[in-house]
Amino acid sequence: MEHGIKQEMIDKQMKGMEDYGSGNEVDLSHINQHTHQWGERVSGVLTKLKTDEKVIALTFDACGGPYGSEYDEALLTFLIEEEIPATLFVNQRWIHENRDTFKELAQNPLFQIENHGTEHLPLSVNGQSAWGIKGTSSPEEVVEEVLGNQEEIKRLTRRSPTLFRSGTAFYDEEAVKIVKELGLQVVNYSLLGDAGGTYSANAVASALLQASPGDIALLHMNQPNSGTGKGVKTAIPLLKEAGFSFVLLQDFELE
């Protein structure tokens, strides 16, 4: 995409920022491209529910792309049948490959739909990489990565997400500032549930059974051949027996 067209897209997205919760255009002039933090737990990233109650928030990423556009129907059917609420962080690429399924999930009150980015990129103001994926390379590209999918989700659901999780869950502190100025909270996790869909079913179950009150578990709903689904099905009855219940991120303040 040529620079002029790309900038026009960004300007148009910024002009409509009141639709996304901030009510103000975003001034990027103060953003420092010389950053000091890079990772999953930088300043401003939220990772837990602010509560001592015995509750867990299950979150499932749908990443999209050549190796991540499938749909774990058996897993989501299990959650629906067992009435287990979950927050779904959905990438625009996945939406494009699963549009009807996305609309069905968005209409189900068990599920909270949130923003997992447009191209599933690590969120950086200067092009840092994570897990071999080059991140956004400027403040303007951070805005584009967030708002492209924000606009798509709102168009399809008539609801603007309030939470954002980047591809790979990596950020620098300046990118986090931009997301907050766009009116969204940046949410990662306190409990690694499936390591990008690479864990076996036993490893997924073992990870979830380490839960403590207020944990946010990170899992994936786009890898039906992984151990995620079976691991979740094993762990949930045991967690219930241990006195845990399951909640949406919107049900609690985050920290």
Side-chain angles (χ1 to χ4, degrees):
M1 182 181 295
E2 294 183 3
H3 176 73
I5 298 173
K6 185 175 183 179
Q7 187 60 49
E8 182 180 348
M9 180 188 301
I10 293 170
D11 292 344
K12 180 180 179 182
Q13 289 168 335
M14 285 184 171
K15 187 176 180 181
M17 271 311 303
E18 64 271 12
D19 291 338
Y20 300 107
S22 72
N24 298 299
E25 292 187 9
V26 176
D27 178 11
L28 301 177
S29 62
H30 66 290
I31 297 299
N32 185 356
Q33 287 187 265
H34 299 287
T35 58
H36 302 285
Q37 301 178 46
W38 179 243
E40 297 176 303
R41 288 173 169 76
V42 305
S43 300
V45 175
L46 307 172
T47 59
K48 289 202 72 173
L49 309 175
K50 193 173 184 179
T51 182
D52 293 324
E53 295 180 42
K54 217 168 182 183
V55 294
I56 305 167
L58 299 178
T59 71
F60 293 88
D61 288 359
C63 306
Y67 304 104
S69 289
E70 294 185 76
Y71 170 53
D72 195 337
E73 184 176 3
L75 168 61
L76 273 293
T77 298
F78 170 80
L79 296 177
I80 293 168
E81 291 176 347
E82 296 297 319
E83 298 184 345
I84 304 295
T87 302
L88 312 181
F89 284 87
V90 185
N91 181 261
Q92 188 182 76
R93 301 178 308 174
W94 191 91
I95 294 173
H96 288 170
E97 294 294 327
N98 300 274
R99 193 175 299 273
D100 291 341
T101 296
F102 172 75
K103 289 179 179 179
E104 290 178 10
L105 294 173
Q107 291 169 0
N108 192 320
L110 276 176
F111 302 129
Q112 175 183 345
I113 303 296
E114 298 298 346
N115 187 343
H116 194 36
T118 303
E119 296 293 335
H120 197 258
L121 302 177
L123 220 61
S124 169
V125 297
N126 53 25
Q128 297 190 78
S129 298
W131 303 109
I133 302 173
K134 187 177 184 295
T136 50
S137 59
S138 68
E140 291 78 12
E141 287 189 7
V142 169
V143 172
E144 187 177 3
E145 174 68 11
V146 175
L147 290 191
N149 195 38
Q150 187 83 355
E151 186 175 68
E152 180 81 344
I153 292 174
K154 185 185 178 186
R155 185 178 69 81
L156 293 173
T157 69
R158 300 186 182 278
R159 174 191 172 274
S160 293
T162 60
L163 309 177
F164 180 83
R165 177 181 290 155
S166 71
T168 74
F170 268 62
Y171 316 80
D172 60 44
E173 74 276 16
E174 295 296 314
V176 172
K177 289 179 186 177
I178 294 171
V179 178
K180 292 172 71 175
E181 291 185 22
L182 292 175
L184 294 96
Q185 293 180 298
V186 179
V187 181
N188 273 1
Y189 64 94
S190 55
L191 184 63
L192 184 62
D194 66 0
T198 63
Y199 280 177
S200 67
N202 286 340
V204 171
S206 295
L208 292 175
L209 292 173
Q210 300 303 310
S212 58
D215 267 341
I216 297 173
L218 172 59
L219 299 144
H220 289 75
M221 54 175 275
N222 63 314
Q223 301 289 347
N225 297 318
S226 73
T228 301
K230 290 182 180 179
V232 168
K233 292 177 186 179
T234 298
I236 282 179
L238 298 174
L239 287 166
K240 284 182 175 181
E241 288 179 12
F244 280 95
S245 57
F246 302 90
V247 298
L248 298 174
L249 293 181
Q250 67 191 21
D251 296 334
F252 287 86
E253 183 180 352
L254 307 179
E255 61 180 4

